[in-house]
Amino acid sequence: MKDVMMLLGFSIGLLTGALLYKYSQNAKEMIDQGEKKVMSKVDKMATQTEKAINKAEKKIKQGAEKIEKKIKSQ
């Protein structure tokens, strides 16, 4: 019974949100602005991650070169 009530509550909330988005201009603008903010944050995090990966790759290459030099010198 508890599961049925939770499912019913979720369904009603989903339906209410969809109707608000469709018929309320203010709600639609608010949701769209939120989506833009989230997407800009995701893009920023992706570029930061990409920079960190590139930096790590450079350090790994430098470390590998140092190891190769030490091995050759022995």
Side-chain angles (χ1 to χ4, degrees), residues 32-62:
D32 290 343
Q33 287 176 355
E35 183 182 8
K36 287 179 185 175
K37 286 181 183 179
V38 168
M39 290 307 295
S40 68
K41 194 73 161 177
V42 168
D43 289 340
K44 185 178 179 182
M45 287 172 39
T47 54
Q48 288 176 344
T49 303
E50 206 171 301
K51 287 179 183 178
I53 289 171
N54 290 337
K55 189 175 181 180
E57 285 177 346
K58 287 179 184 177
K59 286 186 177 184
I60 289 170
K61 286 180 184 178
Q62 289 173 352

Side-chain angles (χ1 to χ4, degrees), residues 3-21:
D3 295 337
V4 173
M5 292 303 226
M6 285 179 20
L7 184 59
L8 181 63
F10 178 75
S11 300
I12 290 171
L14 185 62
L15 181 62
T16 304
L19 289 173
L20 270 173
Y21 185 78

